[in-house]
Each structure stands twice: as C-alpha cells, then as structure tokens.
Amino acid sequence: MNYAILGWLSTGPGSGYDLVRQMDLGLSWFWGAAHSQIYPRLKELETKGLITSEAVTVGSKLEKRVYSITDEGRSAVRQWASEPPTYPPNRDSERLKLIFGDHNDVKDIRRHFETHLAHFEARRKNIQDFVDVMRSRQHPRIEQRIADAPTEVQKELVLALREMAYGGDLQRAESEIAWAVNCLTWLDEFERQHGLTEARSSERKPATTT
C-alpha cells in the first residue's frame, strides 16, 4: 500500500481525502485499501521522510493537510517499480466455495454464478468508464502527469502503460463474465437433464471473450 500512495503522490500533492477518493476509483482495481488504513500509512511515510505535509486552509476556516512526495520518496517508488513483479499466494474464496458447493441446493449454485456475473459486469463497466475518460484526455491527474513528464518518451508512456494496465483488467473481467455465462448455461442443461426444473423459456448463449 505504501507504494500505491507514493506512486499517486509522485504525480502531485494531495490531501488524505483526495487519496481516499482515488483508492475508491482507479487504483482500487489494482490495490484496494480500507479508508482507516490510509491515514496511518501517510503518517508512517512522513516519519520515514518519504513524504512531507503542510496544513492548508480551505475557505475561511476549514483546514486540511496536503501531502507531497520527497526526492527520497520518488527514488523509492522508482526503485520499486523497476523490480520484476511479485505475486502473493493465491486466495480465491469464490472458486473455493464453488469446489465445496456440491452439497448445496441448485438454486444456491445458480446464485453463486449470477452473483459472480453481476460483479464482473459492474467491474467491466466501471473500468471502461474510467478508460473512456482517460482516452478522452479529461482525467486531470493523468494530464498533469503527462504535462510534468520531462521527455516525449515518458509522456507517451504515461498513457501507454495505463492503457495496458486497465486493458488487461478489462480482459480479466471479460473472461470472468464469459466463464459465469457458460457456467449458467451448463447449469440450465444440468437441471433439465435431472428434472430439477422446467425447461427455461430462453436459451443462454455461451459467452466468448473479446
């Protein structure tokens, strides 16, 4: 999480509230965090000298703390981003529930697949909405990062790498949607074969990834 914060601040200063909002939007697809974790991490990073903060008055009375990354912080996030990716042990409660769902009612299995489908359809829409804003060059913080990039190569990389990151997550969502639709199609046929329900009025076509 520390590097998600440092990476975000490497574009420009921001308040804890700004960071919380960002964690709820674009960054949450790659690194989710509870709001209660963010402010202690900001304090920790400041203690380590990786960021600084100052109190800023908003309006006539409201005061907020704005955080900025230090040179040491930029160096830390640059070093981290240059290292090969690492992957945590796989923990997938959805698939685990499915594996041990053979004693459940069929309606529970259907609800499992339908919930999975709805989740990734919503995820796909949210990511696509974000990508559309980014591609239309209307995302203020990304545009700021492009403007501050010191070379044309780096300016191009700002968008190109984000296209690949969010595009990859869109493909993941499409794959999970296709999987869930195909599982529901299989379940329809399973119910018919075993006389568990009346034939459904409409056939569900197997999904394919795009």
Side-chain angles (χ1 to χ4, degrees), residues 39-50:
Y39 287 95
R41 291 299 184 93
L42 286 167
K43 184 176 181 180
E44 175 188 330
L45 291 170
E46 189 168 16
T47 299
K48 292 180 177 179
L50 300 177

Side-chain angles (χ1 to χ4, degrees), residues 132-151:
D132 290 343
V133 172
M134 179 181 71
R135 287 175 177 168
S136 65
R137 306 295 299 270
Q138 296 180 36
H139 192 288
R141 201 162 183 91
I142 293 176
E143 292 305 304
Q144 179 183 346
R145 195 172 182 91
I146 293 171
D148 293 342
T151 68

Side-chain angles (χ1 to χ4, degrees), residues 91-183:
R91 292 185 174 90
D92 190 335
S93 63
E94 180 271 317
R95 295 293 199 267
L96 197 61
K97 285 184 177 182
L98 186 60
I99 287 172
F100 294 111
D102 50 313
H103 290 179
N104 293 351
D105 291 337
V106 172
K107 69 179 188 325
D108 295 327
I109 298 171
R110 181 172 297 281
R111 184 171 64 240
H112 180 114
F113 293 138
E114 288 175 342
T115 300
H116 194 79
L117 176 62
H119 171 80
F120 280 98
E121 285 179 334
R123 184 179 179 90
R124 176 180 61 182
K125 181 184 184 305
N126 290 336
I127 298 171
Q128 188 61 63
D129 289 346
F130 182 90
V131 169
D132 290 343
V133 172
M134 179 181 71
R135 287 175 177 168
S136 65
R137 306 295 299 270
Q138 296 180 36
H139 192 288
R141 201 162 183 91
I142 293 176
E143 292 305 304
Q144 179 183 346
R145 195 172 182 91
I146 293 171
D148 293 342
T151 68
E152 290 303 315
V153 170
Q154 286 178 303
K155 288 180 187 293
E156 186 174 338
L157 282 173
V158 171
L159 282 180
L161 295 180
R162 281 163 179 75
E163 283 277 359
M164 284 184 276
Y166 291 107
D169 218 41
L170 274 173
Q171 289 183 17
R172 287 178 184 171
E174 292 284 3
S175 177
E176 292 295 333
I177 289 168
W179 175 81
V181 169
N182 287 336
C183 288

Side-chain angles (χ1 to χ4, degrees), residues 4 8 19-35 38 119 123 126-127 130 166 169 172:
W8 184 78
L19 182 55
V20 165
R21 287 187 66 248
Q22 184 62 32
M23 284 294 187
D24 285 341
L25 298 172
L27 289 181
S28 65
W29 295 312
F30 308 118
W31 196 273
H35 294 179
I38 293 176
H119 171 80
R123 184 179 179 90
N126 290 336
I127 298 171
F130 182 90
Y166 291 107
D169 218 41
R172 287 178 184 171

